[in-house]
Amino acid sequence: MENKGKKILRDIQSEADTREVPLQKVGVRGLQYPVQVLDKVNKTQRTTAAVDLFVNLPHHYKGTHMSRFIEIFHKHHSDLTMNHFLEMLDEIRGSLSAQYAYGTVTFPFFIEKKAPVSGEAGIMSYTCSYEGSVGEDIRNFFISIAVPVTTLCPCSKAISDYGAHNQRGIVRVKLLYSDFFWIEDVITMIENCASGGLYSVLKRRDEKWVTEHAYDNPRFVEDVVREVYLGLRSFPVGKPFKWFSVEAENFESIHNHNAYARTEYGTCPISQKGYNE
């Protein structure tokens, strides 16, 4: 039976566009969503992510259907392992008749960390992201991890009669996924490459240990980047990353600028026409 009284709603997005301007990315950005990720100790942990999802739009399409991004992501948000993440993007691509689909999910990753001497426990937060791109000829998945560290200046230590300036810094790595690894293991390796890691809870005897440990392990940003580079070259054990980038930035305590260094290893796979830039 026909619904004679039902009005057919016009679908503007599906109408033709005559300006002949293709768009490399259209979609949704800044979607806040609860997600579940793998956790070495607890198997999984729940966190909240900022989600960006895009497809390319050929010149003859006027627009895309934004609601489909959310509908498909909702189906997959409880499992964001690599294969499921790329399957989610492939489903978005097919649903919107696109050549390429892209997604980035950025989230705080929480680890319980104990103080080095007292053993007092606190929660540390590390900013991580999953980034994927899929098409008929591309299938890339990256994991990025940002780790706050402390660094003590080797030059300051060498020229000073007592003391040396130190500061917080941040090390960021971006890894082309090739084999399974734990985010926690990468974080530990990075902290060991700096003058020291950070803690949310420190008693006085912990502060003494942290200060002296940093003094005994001075690092320039250049040192940190090189040490992390060497650490990643043999990580994960048995199947190293084919590509990665490392950058370190020190929030200088006695200069009115930050110190910065960066390097990368291997050849980064670039999506067609640079669509993942």
Side-chain angles (χ1 to χ4, degrees):
M1 256 182 104
E2 295 184 1
N3 293 326
K4 296 182 179 180
K6 188 175 181 180
K7 183 178 179 180
I8 298 176
L9 300 178
R10 183 180 174 187
D11 186 359
I12 297 290
Q13 292 99 322
S14 297
E15 295 182 1
D17 193 280
T18 60
R19 287 165 287 188
E20 297 187 348
V21 180
L23 303 180
Q24 293 182 355
K25 286 184 178 181
V26 298
V28 298
R29 169 170 277 176
L31 172 68
Q32 299 290 314
Y33 226 81
V35 297
Q36 183 170 277
V37 296
L38 293 178
D39 184 304
K40 188 175 182 178
V41 175
N42 302 304
K43 296 186 178 180
T44 60
Q45 69 169 261
R46 296 185 182 276
T47 183
T48 302
V51 183
D52 300 336
L53 299 168
F54 310 108
V55 294
N56 73 301
L57 190 71
H59 69 84
H60 52 276
Y61 286 116
K62 191 171 189 66
T64 192
H65 295 272
M66 300 292 181
S67 62
R68 294 185 190 175
F69 291 98
I70 315 301
E71 291 168 352
I72 294 172
F73 183 78
H74 182 76
K75 288 169 53 180
H76 294 268
H77 76 281
S78 62
D79 185 351
L80 292 180
T81 52
M82 183 196 74
N83 288 334
H84 286 91
F85 191 88
L86 296 179
E87 287 173 8
M88 178 264 296
L89 291 180
D90 223 10
E91 186 174 342
I92 289 174
R93 185 174 74 94
S95 176
L96 295 170
S97 302
Q99 292 173 290
Y100 306 103
Y102 313 93
T104 302
V105 176
T106 303
F107 55 92
F109 185 79
F110 298 101
I111 298 176
E112 183 180 80
K113 189 176 181 182
K114 293 182 179 180
V117 180
S118 68
E120 293 292 334
I123 298 294
M124 286 290 298
S125 173
Y126 303 87
T127 301
C128 300
S129 66
Y130 298 158
E131 179 183 346
S133 55
V134 299
E136 291 184 3
D137 49 357
I138 60 169
R139 194 174 178 85
N140 299 325
F141 185 74
F142 298 90
I143 296 179
S144 297
I145 307 169
V147 182
V149 297
T150 185
T151 57
L152 185 132
C153 177
C155 181
S156 177
K157 177 181 177 180
I159 65 176
S160 301
D161 291 333
Y162 46 88
H165 82 80
N166 64 325
Q167 55 276 315
R168 279 196 298 168
I170 190 160
V171 179
R172 299 180 179 90
V173 298
K174 185 173 183 178
L175 314 165
L176 176 63
Y177 187 98
S178 57
D179 197 14
F180 180 80
F181 66 92
W182 292 107
I183 289 176
E184 294 92 330
D185 292 341
V186 176
I187 290 172
T188 298
M189 184 271 291
I190 291 173
E191 290 178 336
N192 290 337
C193 291
S195 298
L198 300 188
Y199 300 83
S200 58
V201 177
L202 290 174
K203 310 302 285 185
R204 279 176 295 179
R205 57 188 183 276
D206 298 310
E207 291 191 18
K208 179 180 184 297
W209 186 93
V210 168
T211 302
E212 293 173 346
H213 180 77
Y215 191 81
D216 290 336
N217 294 277
R219 296 283 192 275
F220 291 126
V221 287
E222 297 93 333
D223 296 318
V224 175
V225 166
R226 285 172 172 145
E227 290 296 323
V228 173
Y229 178 98
L230 293 174
L232 291 175
R233 282 290 286 116
S234 58
F235 194 99
V237 176
K239 197 170 183 181
F241 299 110
K242 295 179 180 178
W243 178 89
F244 60 78
S245 66
V246 184
E247 63 177 17
E249 183 175 5
N250 281 350
F251 310 122
E252 292 288 290
S253 60
I254 65 170
H255 302 291
N256 192 30
H257 58 261
N258 292 346
Y260 177 82
R262 184 187 185 278
T263 193
E264 64 179 67
Y265 167 79
T267 302
C268 183
I270 301 298
S271 301
Q272 293 293 314
K273 300 181 182 179
Y275 283 168
N276 68 339
E277 295 297 317

